[in-house]
Amino acid sequence: MRRNHKALHLISRLYMVAVLVFLYAPILVMMVLSFNEGKSRGNFTGFSLKWYGELFQNAEIMQALSNTLIIAVISSLVATVVGTFAAYGISQMNRRSQGLVMNISYLPVINPDIVTGVSLMLLFIFMRMNLGFATMLISHIVFNIPYVILSVMPRIKQMDRHLLEAAMDLGLPPLRAFLKVVLPDIMPGVISGMIMAFTLSIDDFVISFFTTSGVQNLSIYIYSSARRGIEPTVYAIMTLMFVTVVSLLLLINRKSLGRTVAKRTRI
Amino acid sequence: MSNQDALIEIRDVCKLFTDDGDEKQAVDHISLTIRRHEFVTLLGPSGCGKTTTLRMIAGFETPTSGAIYIDGKDVSAVPPYKRKVNTVFQRYALFPHLNVADNIAFGLTVKKLPKDVIAQKVDAMLRMVGLQGYNKRKVTSLSGGEQQRVAIARALVNEPEVLLLDEPLGALDLKKRKEMQIELKNMQQKLGITFVYVTHDQEEALTMSDTVVVMRGGTIQQVGTPQDIYNEPRNRFVADFIGESNIIDGIMPEDERVVIGDVSLDCVDKGFAPNEPVDVVIRPEDIYIVTQSDKGQFKGTVESVVFKGVHYEMQVRDTAGFLWLIQDTSMFAEGMEVGLIVRPEDIHIMRKSDDPNAAVYREEEAL
Ligand SMILES: Nc1ncnc2c1ncn2[C@@H]1O[C@H](COP(=O)(O)OP(=O)(O)OP(=O)(O)O)[C@@H](O)[C@H]1O
Ligand SMILES: [Mg+2]
């Protein structure tokens, strides 16, 4: 019986390792190749930071990188403000409307990116807007808002419903009351929502691709350069992107982990 | 109505909630005058509209019709943050990211008082509610009773004209509750603040208040001093809700005489129509038991005896089949034949027509 148990344990361990290898081996290969001296995809001829150096000299890449970062910063900030107020507003609705509105805001999350991308593009064209930086920025704000709402909502749900009223009772008008007592209480949700929005914005290719033309972000640059033939500089950008996104995700997890630990110690 | 002393006047106020197409009349045509320095308690079963009434006074809900006057001015258009009213919320609503001192100082900080004045007032308040030295404690680390005191201090420190308290002692155990009842009453008298207090505990209402307002289904059933409410309940519902009562059908053949079944009794009430059907209320502690059953006005058999600490509580079934609830310091054993005696001044007669909800209780009793 006991032995059986051990064997099972071992098998499940091996299974885990296999899954992780399949998931991370490709990325690992790419990362290693980004430090390769030569251009070859087949063999590692020596360690070098050559491609990273080239990366920072390439004006087109630098332009794309700056677009990506500017859009990620602005869209995550705007989406955080809009999404936080929206979440609070939704939480104050009666139960049935609340369910309805939550489902509607959830839709873009489950909607395939390509559908969101194409429909946004059609909307912009229909409204006679020129596709470019602005339309890409608007699209990023739009697809980020639901994620902020979804991340803030649970915090609001566990907050005392009467906090805002208590602050108003003590003399603060509604907006100041919100900033003074509600916001500090839901801050962890707001921050992880913002980080998530930032990551998603950096990450996005499909929606960006359809809602801009001429103006490139990193993912569009990589896509178009891949068609020309992939340079190891691309491995270098992707390695950097991967590291950024993973660290941000770790930050979110640390935050929510920290929260549960804090809660446990409080009890 | 326009009394010089009147601080809050509620005039014919209704509150109708429309939620997903369902309509709920939470408050139904209530009028009430609250005098300066008065301790008024809204008392009633769950869902009778106490919190809604309080929230309309605070400004968190707007009346559907009618108006509320504070200091003679219609406050319909005055938002909560401009009313001279502070609230102690049912579940305290303390600010979790602030410590005890900052919670209490909140209202004063909003008013931009100098820091040293605030610190002084906060300390004085902490002393008053018995929490000196708690300044830097996190509010989430406090016990229910301590949070409760912080909530009271946070409201009182602003020296409001009116303090609204929504079941503030609900989370406390019986002993702590009694202590806090006395403390709150003392504070109210010392500071001369008008209290509007909500509870569904009749004993709490009777011990603390100057005036008790008994509510039911969004309406006011009776307004009066605790003695009035207890001794002269205006209808069956009030009698039943305020302490335990024996409520029996009777007929008034003439003034100062009531007939229950085939027993005719002297009483002190008058002004009823000849042979008017009435509700007769007799408190359990006002019935005397005698061992010689022939000496009693009613004859009956003891059906159960329960020891309640101060007294025994007995149920006696009389010959007509009515089950009397009786409290007495001596015990009468189960199965004993006894007589029951009631003094005329302990018999309370209520007009059935005084009771707007008579039909409703009949239905409830039938269930
Ligand atoms: N925002 C609201 N929307 C819809 N119905 C409401 C709302 N607030 C209160 N009600 C309803 O109005 C009625 C009165 O509610 P209220 O909270 O005033 O009762 P209460 O006397 O304070 O009861 P409790 O002792 O349980 O606190 C209840 O039936 C309640 O369901
Ligand atoms: Mg209530």
Side-chain angles (χ1 to χ4, degrees), chain A residues 24 46-47 49 82 86-87 93 102 104 123 142 149 153 157 161 203 208 229 241 250-251:
Chain A
Y24 287 94
F47 180 85
L49 288 174
V82 175
M93 292 174 164
M102 275 315 275
I104 292 174
L123 180 73
V142 167
I149 295 180
M153 201 49 120
K157 286 264 147 99
R161 286 196 311 119
D203 225 24
S208 307
M241 277 174 81
L250 282 178
L251 205 65

Side-chain angles (χ1 to χ4, degrees), chain B residues 80-96:
Chain B
Y81 51 94
K82 288 193 180 143
R83 296 194 186 189
K84 291 176 281 188
V85 168
N86 283 120
T87 309
V88 178
F89 289 84
Q90 198 158 0
R91 268 170 226 85
Y92 320 140
L94 297 177
F95 306 129

Side-chain angles (χ1 to χ4, degrees), chain B residues 45-52 54-55 90-91 166-167 198 200:
Chain B
S46 189
C48 71
K50 307 180 293 288
T51 298
T52 307
L54 211 62
R55 288 171 58 79
Q90 198 158 0
R91 268 170 226 85
D166 195 351
E167 307 206 22
V198 163
H200 58 246

Side-chain angles (χ1 to χ4, degrees), chain B residues 101-233:
Chain B
D102 291 340
N103 260 281
I104 298 175
F106 198 91
L108 303 176
T109 319
V110 170
K111 287 188 204 129
K112 301 208 164 54
L113 260 61
K115 276 219 165 75
D116 49 328
V117 176
I118 294 182
Q120 245 170 21
K121 286 188 182 244
V122 168
D123 281 338
M125 234 345 119
L126 281 172
R127 223 169 307 123
M128 181 161 177
V129 296
L131 292 176
Q132 46 276 65
Y134 275 60
N135 305 49
K136 295 279 173 263
R137 287 278 296 273
K138 285 188 66 156
V139 288
T140 42
S141 73
L142 302 181
S143 75
E146 289 164 345
Q147 291 190 15
Q148 150 80 73
R149 287 150 190 259
V150 175
I152 292 169
R154 183 179 70 176
L156 273 182
V157 77
N158 303 290
E159 295 162 25
E161 277 191 49
V162 184
L163 189 63
L164 308 176
L165 304 100
D166 195 351
E167 307 206 22
L169 309 183
L172 306 185
D173 61 61
L174 191 67
K175 189 158 168 287
K176 199 92 215 142
R177 211 178 153 99
K178 299 252 154 155
E179 274 171 39
M180 281 302 290
Q181 284 174 7
I182 295 165
E183 278 181 49
L184 271 180
K185 181 75 190 172
N186 287 343
M187 278 187 225
Q188 188 256 342
Q189 283 169 337
K190 200 156 78 186
L191 302 173
I193 296 177
T194 309
F195 270 36
V196 184
Y197 192 96
V198 163
T199 183
H200 58 246
D201 178 343
Q202 48 96 12
E203 199 183 319
E204 188 165 292
L206 295 181
T207 44
M208 298 176 83
S209 328
D210 300 319
T211 305
V212 178
V213 179
V214 184
M215 294 183 68
R216 169 174 219 271
T219 61
I220 292 181
Q221 301 286 311
Q222 186 170 3
V223 181
T225 62
Q227 290 80 1
D228 282 350
I229 299 273
Y230 190 83
N231 293 330
E232 300 295 334

Side-chain angles (χ1 to χ4, degrees), chain A residues 93-99, chain B residues 17-24:
Chain A
M93 292 174 164
N94 64 44
R95 219 164 294 139
R96 199 188 298 173
S97 331
Q98 198 173 330
Chain B
F17 285 110
T18 21
D19 194 6
D20 300 336
D22 293 341
E23 291 199 336
K24 172 79 205 176

Side-chain angles (χ1 to χ4, degrees), chain B residues 322-340:
Chain B
F322 185 79
L323 194 62
W324 294 89
L325 186 70
I326 300 165
Q327 290 165 355
D328 202 311
T329 45
S330 7
M331 193 198 85
F332 296 86
E334 232 175 278
M336 217 166 143
E337 294 274 319
V338 293
L340 307 179

